[in-house]
Amino acid sequence: MAAGLIGVMVALAVPATAAAAVGGPVILGGDDLTDHGGTDAGGNSQQGWLYIERAVANIKAQVGRANDNSIAAFGSADPGPLTPPDSGDAGMAIKNAAAKSGMSVSYFDGEVLINNGLAAIQNGSYRPAIIWVAGDGASNNLDGCSGPGTEGQALIDNAAIINNFVNGGGGLMSHGSCYDWLTALL
């Protein structure tokens, strides 16, 4: 059922007209999938992490912008090597999904690194395929949805960059409940 839902959401994200065909795929979740899943001892994704794995694969296949086959992970730090069984760590969840899609991950944790990462995307010195925004229910997640000095505020302040990235054919995946930055896409 999750695979079917992912397919529907990705299909809905694909523009219907040729004039709008440059826009990239978007999956926005209302649940913190990083907290509801993990890998088993064999490294097989389970529950929310399986959803993330399949979503990344679907988004990757529909990215229309030139890229370096990476995911820009905003709001998580690099958790180190994959060491199944894993669970409850947002950074590990996206690392697991990226590895299964043959992608790398660049992590931007903290307000300053998020600002710098988005500036690099804007000026073209960093060309990820997908922007991934951590949720707010697991460990290694966003430190706040808004307010001075928070990761959420850095996303809000750079919402136009995220919008331009998606409009230029880049993929976007986000989940949790911190969506004040989303107004630029709408």
Side-chain angles (χ1 to χ4, degrees), residues 134-136 142-157 175-181:
D136 58 346
L142 292 175
D143 65 6
C145 292
S146 63
T150 65
E151 294 169 333
Q153 190 64 49
L155 294 169
I156 293 166
D157 293 345
H175 46 103
S177 60
C178 297
Y179 282 108
D180 289 345
W181 55 268

Side-chain angles (χ1 to χ4, degrees), residues 39-171:
T39 58
D40 63 18
N44 300 303
S45 301
Q46 307 292 313
Q47 299 172 337
W49 285 28
L50 180 59
Y51 179 98
I52 295 168
E53 176 187 326
R54 290 182 179 168
V56 164
N58 282 318
I59 292 170
K60 178 184 176 181
Q62 296 185 39
V63 168
R65 73 188 300 269
N67 65 80
D68 63 7
N69 197 41
S70 74
I71 297 172
F74 291 105
S76 289
D78 187 342
L82 295 168
T83 55
D86 290 307
S87 66
D89 183 297
M92 192 65 77
I94 193 59
K95 180 176 266 192
N96 174 68
K100 292 189 173 153
S101 284
M103 301 179 80
S104 63
V105 181
S106 294
Y107 291 91
F108 302 91
D109 189 38
E111 175 194 24
V112 171
L113 291 179
I114 289 173
N115 286 329
N116 292 343
L118 288 165
I121 289 171
Q122 182 179 33
N123 71 29
S125 62
Y126 176 44
R127 302 176 60 81
I130 300 170
I131 288 177
W132 177 83
V133 180
D136 58 346
S139 66
N140 198 7
N141 251 341
L142 292 175
D143 65 6
C145 292
S146 63
T150 65
E151 294 169 333
Q153 190 64 49
L155 294 169
I156 293 166
D157 293 345
N158 291 289
I161 296 170
I162 298 169
N163 177 58
N164 292 339
F165 175 83
V166 172
N167 282 339

